[in-house]
Amino acid sequence: MYLHAGTFHFTNLCHYLGMIRFYSFLFLIGLNASSAELQTNSTNSVDAPKWLTKNRVDKVADRIGNYLEWEVRRVKMVWYTDQSKFESAHGLGTSALAVSRKSDKTILMGPKVTDENFDQIFGHELVHVVSYQKFKDGIPQWLEEGLANFVAKNGAVDYKWLKKKTPPADVRSLTHPFGGDADNTRYHYIASQALAEMISAKCDLKVLLRLSIGRKMDDYLVTYCNIKDLNADFKKWISSK
């Protein structure tokens, strides 16, 4: 706004100072809103924490997308600060830190997701998102959790602990990990990640994933990875570690 010095009075000054304060207030409201609503190419976050930035979300999404050769179609990411409300939203018990729901294309982030562990947890959930967006039912359930940990670099496999456990008669029975006791849930995650590492050591995992688009990965474990008996090979793999 242009002001002429000769006609400017005290009342005008009060008026303009009041306007400045008002628009400053609106500006601050805008900043607070933007910290709660964070939109990127991969996600639209609701009630996002203040430490989360667009660059950080993009960095994780780019890393997962590059490995799986897929640009994530934007999903909604809802953040919870109350554990009971988070558990009510997903219905999978107390163990889950975050949940990806294919039904409504939503990632639910629980209150235990922090600045320190976000990259690993978000990366893990994005693998699930790519799984249903790109691979449909191609990735078997017994491998999906382990693949998500493997691709997201979410910790090392505790082979010492795994050796003490009796594997199921068929590792393909390792379906959804939640719903049982905590020990069974832990076994599913660790065994599934060990299976992902074993398959990666026997064949090029990226090529295997390409072959699995719109098909069943199981069909290529024998022909491409030379895994003729998944259960026998898994036992040998565990004992060798």
Side-chain angles (χ1 to χ4, degrees):
M1 181 181 293
Y2 177 77
L3 299 178
H4 192 282
T7 60
F8 191 75
H9 301 289
F10 178 75
T11 53
N12 299 101
L13 177 62
C14 293
H15 173 71
Y16 290 119
L17 287 176
M19 290 180 63
I20 290 171
R21 283 195 294 270
F22 175 73
Y23 285 113
S24 296
F25 174 72
L26 291 180
F27 177 73
L28 289 174
I29 290 177
L31 286 179
N32 289 333
S34 65
S35 66
E37 302 286 337
L38 184 67
Q39 183 168 298
T40 70
N41 290 332
S42 61
T43 60
N44 181 27
S45 286
V46 177
D47 296 327
K50 292 184 178 180
W51 49 259
L52 189 64
T53 64
K54 182 180 182 299
N55 286 340
R56 187 166 182 182
V57 173
D58 285 340
K59 185 177 180 180
V60 177
D62 288 346
R63 177 167 59 84
I64 299 301
N66 288 338
Y67 188 95
L68 297 175
E69 300 174 334
W70 183 255
E71 186 172 338
V72 177
R73 297 174 189 145
R74 187 182 294 127
V75 295
K76 186 177 181 180
M77 185 156 62
V78 182
W79 290 79
Y80 290 84
T81 56
D82 184 278
Q83 182 67 23
S84 61
K85 290 182 179 179
F86 172 61
E87 291 174 16
S88 296
H90 61 68
L92 297 174
T94 60
S95 300
L97 299 179
V99 175
S100 296
R101 291 196 307 210
K102 180 181 178 181
S103 60
D104 60 358
K105 300 176 177 61
T106 302
I107 298 175
L108 309 180
M109 303 295 268
K112 295 178 183 177
V113 180
T114 66
D115 188 9
E116 288 72 30
N117 62 21
F118 169 77
D119 292 6
Q120 292 76 25
I121 293 175
F122 178 53
H124 177 103
E125 298 307 322
L126 275 186
V127 176
H128 289 307
V129 171
V130 176
S131 178
Y132 68 70
Q133 285 186 353
K134 179 180 181 180
F135 297 100
K136 312 303 181 187
D137 297 321
I139 298 173
Q141 290 187 8
W142 53 265
L143 182 63
E144 189 171 334
E145 295 295 345
L147 180 68
N149 274 350
F150 180 79
V151 175
K153 299 179 180 179
N154 197 357
V157 173
D158 188 348
Y159 283 104
K160 185 177 180 180
W161 181 86
L162 203 56
K163 284 182 179 181
K164 298 176 182 178
K165 300 295 178 180
T166 302
D170 188 354
V171 294
R172 291 181 176 87
S173 67
L174 296 172
T175 54
H176 202 285
F178 297 110
D181 59 50
D183 197 60
N184 286 337
T185 298
R186 185 185 181 198
Y187 181 84
H188 177 111
Y189 274 91
I190 295 178
S192 185
Q193 188 174 346
L195 283 161
E197 289 189 2
M198 180 190 80
I199 293 170
S200 180
K202 291 180 177 292
C203 57
D204 189 322
L205 188 55
K206 284 190 175 183
V207 174
L208 179 64
L209 288 168
R210 289 185 203 125
L211 293 170
S212 304
I213 299 174
R215 298 176 176 85
K216 299 292 184 182
M217 181 183 288
D218 280 305
D219 298 339
Y220 298 99
L221 293 177
V222 176
T223 57
Y224 178 64
C225 299
N226 197 31
I227 299 175
K228 295 181 172 60
D229 187 329
L230 181 63
N231 292 294
D233 282 10
F234 181 60
K235 289 178 181 177
K236 290 178 183 177
W237 176 259
I238 297 300
S239 64
S240 69
K241 304 304 288 183

